[in-house]
Coordinates of all heavy atoms in Angstrom, one line a residue:
M1 N -28.4 98.0 -26.8 CA -29.8 97.9 -27.1 C -30.5 96.8 -26.5 O -30.0 95.6 -26.6 CB -30.0 97.9 -28.7 CG -31.6 97.9 -28.9 SD -32.0 97.8 -30.7 CE -31.0 98.8 -31.6
N2 N -31.6 96.9 -25.8 CA -32.2 95.8 -25.1 C -32.9 94.8 -26.2 O -33.0 95.2 -27.4 CB -33.4 96.3 -24.4 CG -33.1 97.2 -23.3 OD1 -31.8 97.6 -23.1 ND2 -34.0 97.8 -22.4
F3 N -32.9 93.5 -25.8 CA -33.6 92.6 -26.5 C -34.4 91.6 -25.7 O -34.2 91.6 -24.6 CB -32.5 91.7 -27.5 CG -31.5 91.0 -26.7 CD1 -31.5 89.8 -26.3 CD2 -30.2 91.7 -26.2 CE1 -30.7 89.1 -25.6 CE2 -29.3 90.9 -25.6 CZ -29.4 89.7 -25.3
I4 N -35.3 90.9 -26.4 CA -36.2 90.1 -25.7 C -35.9 88.6 -25.9 O -35.5 88.2 -27.0 CB -37.6 90.3 -26.3 CG1 -38.1 91.8 -26.1 CG2 -38.8 89.3 -25.7 CD1 -38.3 92.2 -24.8
L5 N -36.0 87.8 -24.8 CA -35.8 86.4 -24.9 C -37.2 85.8 -24.7 O -37.9 86.1 -23.8 CB -34.9 85.9 -23.8 CG -33.4 86.2 -23.8 CD1 -32.8 85.5 -22.6 CD2 -32.7 85.7 -25.1
K6 N -37.6 84.9 -25.6 CA -38.8 84.1 -25.5 C -38.4 82.6 -25.4 O -37.7 82.2 -26.4 CB -39.8 84.4 -26.7 CG -40.2 85.9 -26.7 CD -41.1 86.2 -27.9 CE -41.5 87.6 -27.9 NZ -42.4 87.8 -29.1
F7 N -38.8 81.9 -24.4 CA -38.6 80.5 -24.4 C -39.5 79.9 -23.3 O -40.3 80.7 -22.7 CB -37.1 80.3 -24.0 CG -36.8 80.9 -22.6 CD1 -37.0 80.1 -21.4 CD2 -36.3 82.2 -22.5 CE1 -36.7 80.7 -20.1 CE2 -36.1 82.8 -21.3 CZ -36.3 81.9 -20.1
E8 N -39.5 78.5 -23.4 CA -40.2 77.8 -22.4 C -39.3 77.1 -21.5 O -38.3 76.5 -22.0 CB -41.1 76.8 -23.2 CG -42.6 77.0 -23.0 CD -43.5 76.0 -23.6 OE1 -43.4 74.7 -23.2 OE2 -44.3 76.3 -24.4
Y9 N -39.7 77.0 -20.3 CA -38.8 76.4 -19.3 C -39.7 75.6 -18.3 O -40.5 76.1 -17.7 CB -37.8 77.3 -18.5 CG -37.0 76.6 -17.4 CD1 -35.9 76.0 -17.8 CD2 -37.4 76.6 -16.1 CE1 -35.0 75.4 -17.0 CE2 -36.5 76.0 -15.2 CZ -35.4 75.4 -15.5 OH -34.6 74.8 -14.5
K10 N -39.5 74.2 -18.3 CA -40.4 73.3 -17.5 C -41.9 73.7 -17.9 O -42.7 73.7 -17.0 CB -40.1 73.4 -15.9 CG -38.8 73.0 -15.6 CD -38.6 73.1 -14.1 CE -37.2 72.6 -13.7 NZ -37.1 72.8 -12.2
G11 N -42.1 73.7 -19.1 CA -43.5 73.9 -19.6 C -44.1 75.3 -19.3 O -45.2 75.5 -19.6
K12 N -43.4 76.3 -18.8 CA -43.9 77.6 -18.5 C -43.2 78.5 -19.5 O -42.0 78.6 -19.5 CB -43.6 77.9 -17.2 CG -44.0 79.3 -16.7 CD -43.7 79.6 -15.2 CE -44.1 81.1 -14.9 NZ -43.5 81.5 -13.7
P13 N -44.0 79.3 -20.2 CA -43.5 80.4 -21.2 C -42.8 81.5 -20.4 O -43.4 81.9 -19.3 CB -44.6 80.7 -22.0 CG -45.8 80.5 -21.2 CD -45.5 79.3 -20.3
H14 N -41.8 82.0 -20.9 CA -41.0 83.2 -20.4 C -40.8 84.2 -21.5 O -40.4 83.7 -22.6 CB -39.8 82.8 -19.7 CG -39.9 81.9 -18.5 ND1 -40.0 82.5 -17.2 CD2 -39.9 80.6 -18.4 CE1 -40.0 81.4 -16.4 NE2 -40.1 80.3 -17.0
I15 N -41.0 85.4 -21.2 CA -40.7 86.5 -22.0 C -39.9 87.6 -21.2 O -40.4 88.1 -20.3 CB -41.9 87.2 -22.8 CG1 -42.6 86.2 -23.6 CG2 -41.3 88.4 -23.6 CD1 -43.9 86.7 -24.1
L16 N -38.6 87.6 -21.5 CA -37.8 88.4 -20.6 C -37.0 89.5 -21.3 O -36.5 89.3 -22.5 CB -36.7 87.6 -19.8 CG -37.3 86.4 -19.0 CD1 -36.2 85.6 -18.4 CD2 -38.0 87.1 -17.8
E17 N -36.9 90.7 -20.9 CA -36.2 91.8 -21.5 C -34.8 91.7 -21.0 O -34.5 91.7 -19.8 CB -36.8 93.2 -21.2 CG -36.1 94.3 -21.9 CD -36.7 95.7 -21.7 OE1 -37.4 95.8 -20.7 OE2 -36.3 96.6 -22.5
V18 N -33.7 91.7 -21.9 CA -32.5 91.6 -21.5 C -31.8 93.0 -21.8 O -31.9 93.6 -22.8 CB -31.6 90.6 -22.3 CG1 -30.1 90.5 -21.9 CG2 -32.2 89.3 -22.0
R19 N -31.2 93.7 -20.8 CA -30.7 95.0 -20.9 C -29.2 94.9 -20.9 O -28.5 94.8 -19.7 CB -31.3 95.9 -19.7 CG -32.8 95.9 -19.8 CD -33.4 96.7 -18.6 NE -33.0 96.4 -17.3 CZ -33.5 95.1 -16.7 NH1 -34.4 94.4 -17.1 NH2 -33.0 94.9 -15.4
P20 N -28.5 95.1 -21.8 CA -26.9 95.1 -21.8 C -26.5 96.4 -21.1 O -27.1 97.4 -21.0 CB -26.6 95.4 -23.4 CG -27.7 94.8 -24.0 CD -29.0 95.1 -23.3
W21 N -25.6 96.2 -20.2 CA -24.9 97.2 -19.3 C -23.5 97.2 -19.6 O -22.8 96.3 -19.3 CB -25.3 96.8 -18.0 CG -24.9 97.6 -16.9 CD1 -24.9 99.0 -16.8 CD2 -24.3 97.4 -15.6 NE1 -24.4 99.5 -15.7 CE2 -24.0 98.6 -14.9 CE3 -24.0 96.0 -15.0 CZ2 -23.5 98.4 -13.6 CZ3 -23.5 96.1 -13.8 CH2 -23.2 97.3 -13.0
V22 N -23.1 98.3 -20.2 CA -21.6 98.4 -20.6 C -21.0 99.0 -19.5 O -21.3 100.1 -18.9 CB -21.5 99.3 -21.8 CG1 -20.0 99.5 -22.2 CG2 -22.3 98.7 -22.9
Q23 N -19.8 98.2 -19.0 CA -19.0 98.7 -18.1 C -17.7 99.1 -18.6 O -17.5 99.1 -19.8 CB -18.8 97.6 -17.0 CG -20.1 97.1 -16.3 CD -20.0 95.9 -15.5 OE1 -19.5 94.9 -16.0 NE2 -20.5 96.0 -14.2
R24 N -16.8 99.5 -17.8 CA -15.5 99.9 -18.4 C -14.8 99.0 -19.4 O -14.5 99.4 -20.6 CB -14.5 100.4 -17.3 CG -13.2 100.9 -17.9 CD -12.4 101.5 -16.8 NE -13.0 102.9 -16.5 CZ -12.4 103.8 -15.8 NH1 -11.3 103.6 -15.3 NH2 -13.0 105.0 -15.6
Y25 N -14.6 97.8 -19.0 CA -13.8 96.8 -19.8 C -14.7 95.7 -20.3 O -14.1 94.7 -20.9 CB -12.6 96.3 -19.1 CG -11.7 97.4 -18.8 CD1 -11.4 97.9 -17.5 CD2 -11.0 98.1 -19.8 CE1 -10.6 98.9 -17.2 CE2 -10.1 99.1 -19.5 CZ -9.9 99.5 -18.2 OH -9.1 100.5 -17.8
K26 N -15.9 95.7 -19.9 CA -16.8 94.5 -20.3 C -18.2 94.9 -20.3 O -18.7 96.0 -20.2 CB -16.7 93.4 -19.3 CG -17.1 93.8 -17.9 CD -16.8 92.7 -16.9 CE -17.1 93.2 -15.4 NZ -16.8 92.2 -14.4
I27 N -19.0 94.0 -20.9 CA -20.4 94.2 -21.0 C -21.1 93.1 -20.2 O -20.8 92.0 -20.2 CB -21.0 94.1 -22.4 CG1 -22.4 94.5 -22.5 CG2 -20.7 92.8 -23.2 CD1 -22.9 94.8 -24.0
A28 N -22.2 93.6 -19.4 CA -23.0 92.7 -18.6 C -24.4 92.8 -19.1 O -24.7 93.6 -19.9 CB -22.9 93.0 -17.2
F29 N -25.2 91.9 -18.7 CA -26.6 91.9 -19.0 C -27.5 91.7 -17.8 O -27.4 91.0 -16.9 CB -26.9 90.6 -20.0 CG -26.0 90.7 -21.2 CD1 -24.9 90.0 -21.3 CD2 -26.4 91.2 -22.3 CE1 -24.0 90.0 -22.4 CE2 -25.6 91.3 -23.4 CZ -24.5 90.6 -23.4
K30 N -28.4 92.7 -17.7 CA -29.4 92.7 -16.5 C -30.7 92.2 -17.0 O -31.2 92.5 -18.1 CB -29.5 94.1 -16.0 CG -28.3 94.7 -15.4 CD -28.6 95.8 -14.5 CE -27.3 96.2 -13.7 NZ -27.3 95.5 -12.4
V31 N -31.2 91.3 -16.2 CA -32.6 90.6 -16.5 C -33.4 90.6 -15.2 O -32.8 90.2 -14.1 CB -32.3 89.2 -17.0 CG1 -33.7 88.6 -17.4 CG2 -31.4 89.2 -18.2
T32 N -34.6 90.9 -15.3 CA -35.5 90.7 -14.2 C -36.2 89.4 -14.3 O -36.9 89.1 -15.2 CB -36.5 91.8 -14.0 OG1 -35.9 93.0 -13.9 CG2 -37.5 91.7 -12.8
V33 N -35.9 88.4 -13.3 CA -36.5 87.0 -13.3 C -37.3 86.9 -12.1 O -36.7 87.0 -10.9 CB -35.3 86.0 -13.4 CG1 -35.9 84.6 -13.4 CG2 -34.3 86.3 -14.5
E34 N -38.6 86.7 -12.4 CA -39.5 86.3 -11.1 C -39.3 87.5 -10.2 O -39.2 87.3 -8.9 CB -39.2 85.1 -10.6 CG -39.6 83.9 -11.5 CD -39.2 82.6 -10.9 OE1 -38.7 82.4 -9.8 OE2 -39.5 81.6 -11.7
E35 N -39.3 88.8 -10.6 CA -39.2 90.0 -9.8 C -37.9 90.2 -9.1 O -37.8 91.0 -8.3 CB -40.3 90.0 -8.8 CG -41.8 90.0 -9.5 CD -42.9 90.0 -8.5 OE1 -42.7 90.3 -7.3 OE2 -44.0 89.8 -8.9
H36 N -36.9 89.5 -9.5 CA -35.6 89.7 -9.0 C -34.6 90.2 -10.0 O -34.6 89.5 -11.2 CB -35.0 88.3 -8.5 CG -35.8 87.7 -7.3 ND1 -35.7 88.1 -6.0 CD2 -36.7 86.7 -7.4 CE1 -36.5 87.5 -5.3 NE2 -37.1 86.7 -6.1
E37 N -33.8 91.2 -9.8 CA -32.9 91.7 -10.8 C -31.6 90.8 -10.7 O -31.0 90.5 -9.6 CB -32.4 93.1 -10.4 CG -31.7 93.7 -11.3 CD -32.4 94.4 -12.6 OE1 -33.6 94.4 -12.6 OE2 -31.6 94.7 -13.6
I38 N -31.3 90.3 -11.8 CA -30.0 89.5 -11.9 C -29.1 90.0 -12.9 O -29.6 90.4 -14.0 CB -30.4 87.9 -12.3 CG1 -31.2 87.4 -11.2 CG2 -29.1 87.1 -12.5 CD1 -31.7 86.0 -11.4
T39 N -27.8 90.0 -12.6 CA -26.7 90.5 -13.6 C -26.0 89.4 -14.2 O -25.6 88.6 -13.2 CB -25.9 91.5 -12.9 OG1 -26.7 92.7 -12.5 CG2 -24.8 92.0 -14.0
Y40 N -25.9 89.2 -15.4 CA -25.1 88.1 -16.1 C -23.9 88.9 -16.5 O -23.9 89.9 -17.3 CB -25.8 87.4 -17.2 CG -27.0 86.6 -16.8 CD1 -28.3 87.2 -16.5 CD2 -26.7 85.3 -16.5 CE1 -29.3 86.4 -16.2 CE2 -27.9 84.5 -16.1 CZ -29.2 85.0 -15.9 OH -30.2 84.2 -15.5
E41 N -22.7 88.3 -16.3 CA -21.5 88.8 -16.7 C -20.5 87.6 -17.1 O -20.7 86.5 -16.5 CB -20.7 89.8 -15.8 CG -20.4 89.2 -14.5 CD -19.8 90.2 -13.4 OE1 -20.1 91.3 -13.5 OE2 -18.9 89.9 -12.7
Q42 N -19.5 87.9 -17.9 CA -18.7 86.7 -18.4 C -17.7 86.4 -17.4 O -17.1 87.3 -16.7 CB -18.1 87.1 -19.6 CG -19.0 87.2 -21.0 CD -18.3 87.4 -22.2 OE1 -17.2 88.1 -22.3 NE2 -18.9 86.7 -23.3
D43 N -17.4 85.2 -17.2 CA -16.4 84.7 -16.3 C -15.1 84.5 -17.0 O -15.0 85.0 -18.2 CB -16.7 83.3 -15.6 CG -17.0 82.2 -16.6 OD1 -16.5 82.3 -17.7 OD2 -17.5 81.1 -16.2
E44 N -14.0 84.0 -16.5 CA -12.7 83.9 -17.1 C -12.7 83.1 -18.4 O -11.9 83.3 -19.3 CB -11.7 83.3 -16.1 CG -11.5 84.1 -14.9 CD -12.6 84.0 -13.8 OE1 -13.3 82.9 -13.8 OE2 -12.7 85.0 -13.2
E45 N -13.7 82.2 -18.5 CA -13.8 81.3 -19.7 C -14.6 81.9 -20.8 O -15.0 81.2 -21.8 CB -14.2 79.9 -19.3 CG -13.2 79.2 -18.4 CD -13.9 78.2 -17.5 OE1 -14.9 77.8 -17.7 OE2 -13.1 77.7 -16.6
G46 N -15.2 83.0 -20.5 CA -16.1 83.7 -21.4 C -17.7 83.2 -21.4 O -18.4 83.6 -22.2
R47 N -17.9 82.4 -20.4 CA -19.3 82.0 -20.2 C -20.0 82.9 -19.2 O -19.4 83.5 -18.5 CB -19.3 80.6 -19.4 CG -18.7 79.4 -20.2 CD -19.3 79.2 -21.6 NE -20.7 79.0 -21.6 CZ -21.5 77.9 -21.6 NH1 -20.8 76.7 -21.5 NH2 -22.7 77.8 -21.5
L48 N -21.3 83.0 -19.3 CA -22.0 84.0 -18.5 C -22.3 83.4 -17.2 O -22.7 82.2 -17.1 CB -23.4 84.4 -19.3 CG -23.2 85.4 -20.4 CD1 -24.6 85.7 -21.1 CD2 -22.6 86.6 -20.1
R49 N -22.1 84.1 -16.2 CA -22.5 83.8 -14.8 C -23.4 84.7 -14.2 O -23.4 85.9 -14.7 CB -21.3 83.6 -13.8 CG -20.5 84.9 -13.6 CD -19.5 84.8 -12.7 NE -18.8 86.1 -12.7 CZ -17.5 86.3 -12.3 NH1 -16.8 85.3 -12.0 NH2 -16.9 87.4 -12.3
A50 N -24.3 84.2 -13.4 CA -25.4 85.1 -12.8 C -25.0 85.6 -11.4 O -24.4 84.9 -10.7 CB -26.7 84.3 -12.6
I51 N -25.2 86.8 -11.2 CA -24.9 87.5 -9.9 C -26.2 88.2 -9.5 O -26.8 89.1 -10.1 CB -23.8 88.6 -10.0 CG1 -22.6 87.9 -10.5 CG2 -23.6 89.2 -8.6 CD1 -21.5 88.8 -10.9
S52 N -26.8 87.7 -8.4 CA -28.0 88.3 -8.0 C -27.7 89.7 -7.4 O -26.9 89.9 -6.6 CB -28.7 87.5 -6.9 OG -29.9 88.1 -6.4
D53 N -28.6 90.6 -7.8 CA -28.5 92.0 -7.3 C -29.1 92.1 -5.8 O -28.9 93.0 -5.2 CB -29.1 93.1 -8.2 CG -28.3 93.2 -9.5 OD1 -27.3 92.5 -9.6 OD2 -28.8 94.0 -10.4
E54 N -29.8 90.9 -5.4 CA -30.5 91.0 -4.2 C -30.1 89.6 -3.6 O -30.9 88.6 -3.6 CB -31.8 91.0 -4.3 CG -32.5 92.3 -5.0 CD -33.8 92.2 -5.6 OE1 -34.5 91.4 -5.1 OE2 -34.0 92.8 -6.6
P55 N -28.9 89.4 -3.1 CA -28.4 88.1 -2.7 C -29.2 87.4 -1.7 O -29.4 86.2 -1.6 CB -26.9 88.2 -2.2 CG -26.9 89.8 -1.9 CD -27.9 90.3 -2.8
H56 N -30.0 88.2 -0.8 CA -30.7 87.5 0.3 C -32.0 86.8 -0.3 O -32.6 86.0 0.5 CB -31.2 88.7 1.3 CG -30.0 89.4 1.8 ND1 -29.0 88.9 2.5 CD2 -29.7 90.7 1.7 CE1 -28.1 89.7 2.9 NE2 -28.5 90.9 2.4
S57 N -32.5 87.1 -1.4 CA -33.6 86.6 -2.0 C -33.4 85.5 -3.0 O -34.2 85.1 -3.7 CB -34.6 87.7 -2.5 OG -33.9 88.4 -3.5
S58 N -32.0 85.1 -3.2 CA -31.8 84.3 -4.3 C -32.4 82.9 -4.2 O -32.5 82.1 -5.2 CB -30.3 84.1 -4.5 OG -29.7 83.6 -3.3
K59 N -32.7 82.5 -3.1 CA -33.4 81.1 -2.9 C -34.8 81.0 -3.5 O -35.2 79.9 -3.9 CB -33.5 80.9 -1.3 CG -32.1 80.6 -0.6 CD -32.4 80.3 0.8 CE -31.0 80.0 1.4 NZ -30.7 81.0 2.4
A60 N -35.4 82.2 -3.7 CA -36.7 82.1 -4.4 C -36.6 81.8 -5.8 O -37.7 81.6 -6.4 CB -37.4 83.4 -4.0
I61 N -35.6 81.8 -6.5 CA -35.5 81.7 -8.0 C -35.0 80.3 -8.2 O -34.1 79.8 -7.5 CB -34.5 82.8 -8.7 CG1 -35.0 84.2 -8.2 CG2 -34.3 82.5 -10.0 CD1 -33.9 85.2 -8.6
D62 N -35.5 79.7 -9.2 CA -35.1 78.3 -9.7 C -33.6 78.5 -10.3 O -33.5 79.2 -11.3 CB -36.1 77.8 -10.8 CG -35.8 76.4 -11.4 OD1 -34.6 76.2 -11.3 OD2 -36.7 75.8 -11.7
H63 N -32.7 77.9 -9.7 CA -31.3 78.0 -10.3 C -31.1 77.5 -11.6 O -30.3 77.9 -12.3 CB -30.3 77.4 -9.2 CG -30.1 78.2 -7.9 ND1 -29.5 79.4 -7.8 CD2 -30.7 78.0 -6.7 CE1 -29.7 79.8 -6.5 NE2 -30.4 79.1 -5.9
G64 N -31.8 76.4 -11.9 CA -31.8 75.9 -13.3 C -32.3 76.9 -14.2 O -31.7 76.9 -15.3
L65 N -33.3 77.5 -13.9 CA -33.8 78.6 -14.8 C -32.9 79.8 -15.0 O -32.6 80.3 -16.2 CB -35.1 79.2 -14.2 CG -35.6 80.5 -15.0 CD1 -36.1 80.2 -16.3 CD2 -36.9 81.1 -14.2
V66 N -32.2 80.1 -14.0 CA -31.1 81.1 -14.0 C -30.0 80.6 -15.0 O -29.6 81.4 -15.9 CB -30.5 81.4 -12.6 CG1 -29.4 82.3 -12.8 CG2 -31.5 82.2 -11.8
G67 N -29.6 79.4 -14.9 CA -28.6 78.9 -15.9 C -29.1 78.7 -17.2 O -28.3 79.1 -18.2
F68 N -30.4 78.4 -17.3 CA -30.9 78.4 -18.7 C -31.0 79.7 -19.3 O -30.7 79.8 -20.6 CB -32.4 77.7 -18.6 CG -33.0 77.4 -19.9 CD1 -32.7 76.2 -20.5 CD2 -34.1 78.1 -20.5 CE1 -33.2 75.7 -21.7 CE2 -34.6 77.8 -21.7 CZ -34.1 76.6 -22.2
I69 N -31.3 80.7 -18.7 CA -31.3 82.1 -19.2 C -30.0 82.5 -19.7 O -29.8 83.1 -20.7 CB -31.8 83.1 -18.1 CG1 -33.3 82.8 -18.0 CG2 -31.7 84.5 -18.6 CD1 -33.9 83.5 -16.8
A70 N -28.9 82.1 -18.8 CA -27.6 82.4 -19.3 C -27.3 81.8 -20.7 O -26.7 82.5 -21.5 CB -26.5 82.0 -18.3
E71 N -27.6 80.5 -20.8 CA -27.5 79.9 -22.2 C -28.2 80.6 -23.3 O -27.7 80.8 -24.4 CB -28.0 78.5 -22.1 CG -27.0 77.6 -21.2 CD -27.6 76.1 -21.1 OE1 -28.5 75.7 -22.0 OE2 -27.3 75.5 -20.1
K72 N -29.4 81.0 -23.1 CA -30.2 81.6 -24.1 C -29.5 83.1 -24.4 O -29.5 83.5 -25.5 CB -31.7 81.9 -23.5 CG -32.5 80.7 -23.4 CD -32.6 80.1 -24.9 CE -33.4 78.9 -24.9 NZ -33.4 78.2 -26.3
I73 N -29.1 83.8 -23.4 CA -28.4 85.0 -23.6 C -27.1 84.8 -24.6 O -26.9 85.5 -25.5 CB -28.0 85.8 -22.4 CG1 -29.3 86.3 -21.7 CG2 -27.1 87.0 -22.7 CD1 -28.9 86.8 -20.2
E74 N -26.4 83.8 -24.2 CA -25.1 83.5 -24.9 C -25.6 83.1 -26.4 O -24.9 83.6 -27.4 CB -24.4 82.3 -24.4 CG -23.7 82.6 -23.1 CD -23.1 81.5 -22.4 OE1 -23.4 80.3 -22.8 OE2 -22.4 81.6 -21.3
E75 N -26.6 82.4 -26.7 CA -27.1 82.1 -28.0 C -27.5 83.4 -28.7 O -27.3 83.5 -29.9 CB -28.2 81.1 -27.9 CG -28.0 79.6 -27.5 CD -29.1 78.8 -27.3 OE1 -30.4 79.3 -27.6 OE2 -29.0 77.7 -26.7
A76 N -28.2 84.2 -28.0 CA -28.7 85.5 -28.8 C -27.6 86.3 -29.2 O -27.6 86.9 -30.2 CB -29.8 86.2 -27.7
I77 N -26.5 86.5 -28.2 CA -25.6 87.4 -28.6 C -24.6 86.7 -29.6 O -23.8 87.5 -30.4 CB -24.7 87.9 -27.4 CG1 -24.1 86.7 -26.6 CG2 -25.5 88.8 -26.5 CD1 -23.2 87.1 -25.4
A78 N -24.6 85.4 -29.8 CA -23.9 84.7 -30.8 C -24.6 84.6 -32.1 O -24.1 84.2 -33.2 CB -23.5 83.3 -30.4
G79 N -25.9 85.1 -32.1 CA -26.7 85.0 -33.3 C -27.3 83.6 -33.7 O -27.4 83.4 -34.8
E80 N -27.3 82.8 -32.7 CA -27.6 81.4 -33.1 C -29.1 81.1 -32.6 O -29.6 79.9 -32.6 CB -26.8 80.5 -32.2 CG -25.4 80.6 -32.4 CD -24.5 79.7 -31.4 OE1 -25.2 79.1 -30.5 OE2 -23.4 79.8 -31.5
E81 N -30.0 82.1 -32.6 CA -31.4 81.9 -32.1 C -32.1 81.0 -33.0 O -32.0 80.9 -34.2 CB -32.1 83.2 -32.1 CG -31.7 84.1 -30.9 CD -32.6 85.3 -30.7 OE1 -32.9 86.0 -31.8 OE2 -32.9 85.6 -29.6

């Protein structure tokens, strides 16, 4: 089920819809950030990593924001909001 993240980053409010995407052996999360589709999936240590669905345009996104969103998704799925 989709869920919403609401947060402020560098003084700018963000409201993002997170769409869980169930794959065969794992779950990933798709988020549209500044008009770019990004998939977050767990790495070997269980932390979320971002994979741009459009790698050629990844320079347009604030990488700090991408990492911050990963932390917010982790908090949300752990129930720590």
Side-chain angles (χ1 to χ4, degrees):
M1 181 184 316
N2 296 1
F3 59 93
I4 302 293
L5 289 181
K6 294 180 183 179
F7 61 90
E8 243 183 60
Y9 179 78
K10 293 185 178 177
K12 181 180 175 190
H14 293 268
I15 300 174
L16 301 174
E17 182 179 20
V18 179
R19 301 176 307 280
W21 180 42
V22 179
Q23 299 169 310
R24 181 168 281 191
Y25 299 108
K26 62 184 175 182
I27 188 166
F29 301 91
K30 292 202 171 265
V31 182
T32 302
V33 181
E34 297 176 359
E35 300 179 14
H36 299 282
E37 184 80 14
I38 297 178
T39 300
Y40 288 88
E41 60 182 35
Q42 289 185 326
D43 61 18
E44 298 77 28
E45 295 154 11
R47 300 297 312 257
L48 289 178
R49 65 177 172 204
I51 301 166
S52 175
D53 292 356
E54 304 156 25
H56 305 300
S57 61
S58 62
K59 292 184 178 109
I61 301 173
D62 180 331
H63 291 285
L65 174 60
V66 170
F68 191 76
I69 292 167
E71 292 175 20
K72 289 296 182 186
I73 294 172
E74 288 172 353
E75 290 173 7
I77 59 178
E80 301 171 359
E81 288 187 318

